[in-house]
């Protein structure tokens, strides 16, 4: 088209071009470009991270010493519940979707995501949902306060804040489903010529599998919360024993969603780490195909372990045994992945720039979270530790040191490609070491609190738990301030400008980025011609 000098069909091409590429606020509101939408997801998730983090700070403020200092137990329970929901559905998941939007088209050689308008819609559902969620603090009866799992029958007896929460979760679920359809169709239909599935970058693989998980389990959550809604307002008794329902059924339905959900929050992290480690070890990823099979195995097994969250609900011993062994089985493919990352680093020419620090930190601390998970998988131990701080320590080791550290690693790794500017390496290292130290100061003592019997979601506690709680609270404030430092000293300066990034900011051993299993690095694939 660019060779035609006269406007075809009496059109003004400049006008068309301006119409296709709006600027100012229109560029973001009507965004259909995968990079713009990826940026929107990342900004949204960071705002939610700070919101959820503020709630965590308030929780740790109250728990700094025994007795009720600042908040009534009701408000404290609202904080714990909203912290969980915001972090899971508002911070971690949208951040990974942001990475998917940015990187998947670039990695498979597609011009954009498959459904650009739907991509825009699936993003803009999220700020609406977030506003609904946060506004629940302002209605009579306050925000939902039964934990992020919103167990019936408690969730049926709450005020209108619960309805806002249910509506917000529906919107976020719809957003996830649309985003997943987009990712699957982009990966399966829009790969560059010659890129077979087994030549795809690992990040694309982990997201392909994650997207299938999301499409499978999000409707299950929708069903559970819709039944809660009808129990609340329309006289049904799905979860009310008085009307022939069963409150334990809610837990089965919720955890059939909830357990695959935790893998949805870690598989893309595995993908990111599988890119960062080979680059900075200057070696190919060890055992690419075994990584793909391990990821698929984790996804399949995630569907048959849900009731390990329910060992204390009175299930028969046969059921307990099945869920115990099935859960321990997931340690095998997970162990394969850890082994492959370590084998990739083995005898590599490693350098420790910030992305690599976060990736190695991820492997170390995520492995600890995995081991505590293995301990909790054992029924007799879990019955003792159910709903104690040991469980809180376990899943924060997986979700903070797991998902969040991988997100940081991915940001430092790909942001030069996104912005054209290098972040400040010294500040990046400060961010890593402060995060790593404060994270462990916060959550490691919680293992001891849990083993000593301190229950979770309590605003007050017995005096013998004081010291570890004080340590944990100090660590939490340090960790929170570190993320504010990350915003003001790393992210904003990188977006404002600074040192220009090289074409290949992470030069490999022979001038090659070892990020794909195929000999050609992903950025050499030409974009397939567009059919009009």
């Amino acid at each position: 088209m660019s060779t035609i000098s006269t406007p075809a069909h009496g059109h003004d091409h400049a006008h068309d071009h301006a119409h296709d590429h709006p600027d100012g606020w229109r560029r973001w509101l009507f965004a259909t470009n995968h990079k713009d939408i990826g940026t929107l997801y990342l900004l949204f998730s960071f705002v939610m991270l700070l919101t959820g983090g503020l709630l965590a700070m308030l929780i740790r403020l109250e728990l700094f010493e025994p007795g009720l200092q600042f908040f009534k137990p009701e408000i404290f329970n609202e904080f714990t519940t909203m912290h969980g929901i915001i972090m899971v559905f508002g911070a971690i998941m949208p951040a990974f979707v942001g990475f998917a939007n940015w990187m998947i088209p670039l990695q498979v050689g597609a011009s954009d995501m498959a459904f650009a308008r739907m991509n825009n819609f699936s993003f803009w559902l999220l700020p609406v949902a977030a506003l609904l969620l946060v506004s629940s603090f302002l209605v009579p009866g306050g925000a939902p306060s039964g934990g992020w799992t919103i167990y019936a029958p408690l969730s049926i007896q709450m005020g209108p804040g619960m309805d806002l929460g249910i509506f917000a979760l529906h919107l976020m679920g719809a957003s996830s489903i649309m985003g997943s359809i987009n990712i699957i169709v982009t990966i399966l239909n829009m790969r560059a010529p010659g890129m077979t599935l087994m030549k795809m970058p690992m990040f694309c693989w982990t997201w392909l599998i994650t997207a299938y998980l999301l499409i499978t389990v999000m409707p299950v959550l929708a069903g559970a919360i819709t039944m809660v809604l009808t129990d609340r307002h329309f006289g049904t008794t799905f979860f009310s024993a008085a009307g022939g329902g069963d409150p334990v059924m809610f837990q089965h339905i919720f955890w059939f969603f909830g357990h695959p959900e935790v893998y949805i929050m870690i598989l893309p992290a595995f993908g990111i780490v599988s890119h960062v480690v080979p680059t900075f070890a200057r070696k190919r990823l060890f055992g690419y195909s075994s990584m793909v099979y391990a990821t698929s195995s984790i996804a399949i097994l995630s569907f048959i372990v849900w009731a390990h969250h329910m060992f204390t609900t009175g299930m028969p011993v046969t059921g307990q045994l099945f869920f115990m062994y099935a859960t321990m089985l997931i340690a095998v493919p997970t162990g394969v992945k850890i082994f492959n990352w370590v084998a990739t680093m083995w005898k590599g020419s490693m350098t420790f720039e910030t992305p690599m620090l976060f990736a190695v930190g991820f492997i170390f601390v995520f492995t600890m979270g995995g081991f505590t998970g293995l301990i909790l998988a054992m029924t007799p131990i879990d019955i003792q530790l159910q709903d104690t701080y040991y469980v809180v320590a376990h899943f924060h080791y997986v979700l903070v040191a797991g998902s969040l550290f991988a997100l940081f690693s991915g940001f430092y790794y790909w942001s030069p490609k996104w912005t054209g500017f290098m972040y400040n390496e010294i500040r990046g290292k400060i961010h890593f070491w402060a995060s790593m130290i404060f994270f462990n100061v916060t959550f490691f003592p919680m293992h001891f609190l849990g083993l000593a019997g301190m229950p979770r979601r309590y605003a007050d506690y017995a005096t013998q738990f004081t010291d570890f709680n004080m340590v944990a609270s100090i660590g939490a404030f340090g960790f929170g301030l570190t993320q504010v430092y990350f915003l003001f000293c790393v992210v904003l300066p990188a977006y404002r400008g600074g040192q220009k990034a090289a074409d290949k900011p992470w030069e490999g051993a022979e001038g090659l980025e070892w990020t794909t299993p195929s000999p050609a690095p992903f950025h050499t694939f030409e974009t397939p011609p567009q059919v009009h």
Side-chain angles (χ1 to χ4, degrees):
M1 287 294 280
S2 58
T3 55
I4 301 171
S5 54
T6 54
H9 311 296
H11 265 79
D12 177 6
H13 274 276
H15 173 76
D16 267 8
H17 193 74
H19 183 70
D20 287 343
H21 298 282
D23 43 14
W25 58 273
R26 279 191 175 81
R27 169 185 171 183
W28 300 102
L29 185 61
F30 303 125
T32 49
N33 177 312
H34 70 99
K35 298 174 182 177
D36 285 351
I37 292 173
T39 304
L40 284 169
Y41 268 108
L42 291 169
L43 286 172
F44 170 80
S45 66
F46 198 73
V47 170
M48 295 314 279
L49 180 80
L50 294 180
T51 310
L54 179 67
L55 293 171
M57 301 292 92
L58 296 172
I59 291 167
R60 289 314 318 172
L61 183 69
E62 177 57 61
L63 292 175
F64 185 73
E65 52 186 33
L68 293 175
Q69 272 72 242
F70 301 98
F71 307 114
K72 294 199 198 87
E74 297 81 6
I75 302 283
F76 181 86
N77 284 343
E78 289 175 31
F79 289 165
T80 52
T81 304
M82 295 297 282
H83 164 73
I85 293 174
I86 286 171
M87 286 305 201
V88 169
F89 296 102
I92 304 258
M93 288 171 67
F96 281 128
V97 179
F99 274 82
N101 266 292
W102 253 106
M103 295 314 298
I104 286 174
L106 300 180
Q107 290 188 333
V108 300
S111 54
D112 205 311
M113 296 294 280
F115 306 112
R117 295 295 174 94
M118 185 167 83
N119 207 7
N120 175 291
F121 185 46
S122 61
F123 170 75
W124 283 110
L125 283 177
L126 288 178
V128 177
L131 286 173
L132 277 170
L133 201 55
V134 176
S135 64
S136 67
F137 276 114
L138 308 174
V139 299
S145 59
W148 82 280
T149 52
I150 54 177
Y151 277 181
L154 188 56
S155 50
I156 292 164
Q157 292 149 10
M158 278 173 199
M162 178 55 72
D163 299 316
L164 290 171
I166 287 171
F167 192 30
L169 285 173
H170 271 306
L171 290 177
M172 288 167 169
S175 167
S176 289
I177 289 169
M178 284 190 285
S180 300
I181 290 169
N182 223 337
I183 286 165
I184 290 171
V185 175
T186 304
I187 291 176
L188 294 187
N189 286 357
M190 299 176 71
R191 297 193 307 285
M195 181 177 279
T196 60
L197 282 177
M198 291 308 277
K199 283 186 178 175
M200 268 195 327
M202 270 310 296
F203 183 66
C204 299
W205 259 117
T206 54
W207 245 117
L208 180 65
I209 292 164
T210 303
Y212 277 112
L213 279 181
L214 273 166
I215 288 178
T216 316
V217 300
M218 274 304 173
V220 177
L221 174 69
I225 59 181
T226 305
M227 285 188 270
V228 167
L229 197 69
T230 58
D231 274 13
R232 286 166 59 80
H233 299 294
F234 301 110
T236 56
T237 53
F238 290 111
F239 307 125
S240 162
D246 181 6
V248 177
M249 182 174 75
F250 177 87
Q251 297 188 28
H252 278 290
I253 301 169
F254 179 88
W255 286 116
F256 189 77
F257 146 81
H259 199 80
E261 167 66 23
V262 301
Y263 291 98
I264 286 163
M265 290 187 284
I266 202 66
L267 291 182
F270 291 165
I272 292 172
V273 171
S274 301
H275 284 262
V276 176
V277 169
T279 299
F280 294 96
R282 275 114 186 127
K283 281 174 66 191
R284 287 244 169 87
L285 179 66
F286 180 90
Y288 170 85
S289 54
S290 66
M291 285 294 242
V292 173
Y293 297 134
T295 312
S296 313
S297 316
I298 290 171
I300 292 161
L301 289 172
S302 75
F303 284 108
I304 60 164
V305 299
W306 78 90
H308 65 211
H309 297 268
M310 300 170 56
F311 282 146
T312 54
T313 53
M315 71 171 73
V317 173
T318 13
Q320 291 181 332
L321 279 172
F322 169 79
F323 285 107
M324 175 170 87
Y325 288 131
T327 304
M328 293 168 84
L329 196 58
I330 285 201
V332 177
T334 314
V336 168
K337 297 183 91 65
I338 304 282
F339 174 82
N340 285 7
W341 290 322
V342 174
T344 305
M345 292 187 278
W346 182 252
K347 292 191 175 176
S349 319
M350 286 203 288
T351 53
F352 294 97
E353 287 86 352
T354 312
M356 185 61 161
L357 285 176
F358 269 109
V360 175
F362 164 93
I363 294 168
F364 170 61
V365 200
F366 172 79
T367 304
M368 288 167 63
F371 276 126
T372 55
L374 209 48
I375 290 167
L376 288 167
M378 299 180 205
T379 313
I381 301 179
D382 182 79
I383 288 169
Q384 294 301 307
L385 296 177
Q386 172 95 9
D387 272 328
T388 68
Y389 264 81
Y390 192 90
V391 180
V392 178
H394 155 68
F395 70 73
H396 281 87
Y397 265 78
V398 175
L399 285 178
V400 182
S403 307
L404 193 63
F405 278 19
L407 285 163
F408 286 145
S409 177
F411 171 81
Y412 284 107
Y413 183 54
W414 281 316
S415 68
K417 200 171 187 65
W418 298 344
T419 63
F421 297 107
M422 284 305 287
Y423 62 89
N424 182 308
E425 186 64 54
I426 293 170
R427 291 175 186 177
K429 285 188 163 70
I430 291 171
H431 176 223
F432 167 74
W433 285 109
S435 292
M436 192 66 169
I437 292 164
F438 284 128
F439 167 79
N440 282 290
V441 169
T442 307
F443 293 105
F444 200 76
M446 292 186 189
H447 294 103
F448 305 133
L449 287 169
L451 289 168
M454 179 174 165
R456 67 195 252 205
R457 296 179 184 163
Y458 273 48
D460 191 8
Y461 53 84
T463 329
Q464 69 261 31
F465 303 128
T466 308
D467 291 351
F468 280 139
N469 270 298
M470 280 187 169
V471 171
S473 287
I474 292 165
F477 285 112
F479 190 78
L481 289 171
T482 304
Q483 308 326 313
V484 177
Y485 171 86
F486 170 64
L487 172 65
F488 286 109
C489 300
V490 179
V491 180
L492 294 178
Y495 273 86
R496 277 203 214 98
Q499 184 200 339
K500 275 223 172 310
D503 285 346
K504 296 183 183 176
W506 315 117
E507 204 65 62
E510 286 90 41
L512 179 67
E513 277 183 285
W514 296 94
T515 49
T516 62
S518 58
F522 66 74
H523 41 67
T524 59
F525 287 114
E526 287 182 11
T527 309
Q530 293 305 298
V531 182
H532 289 294

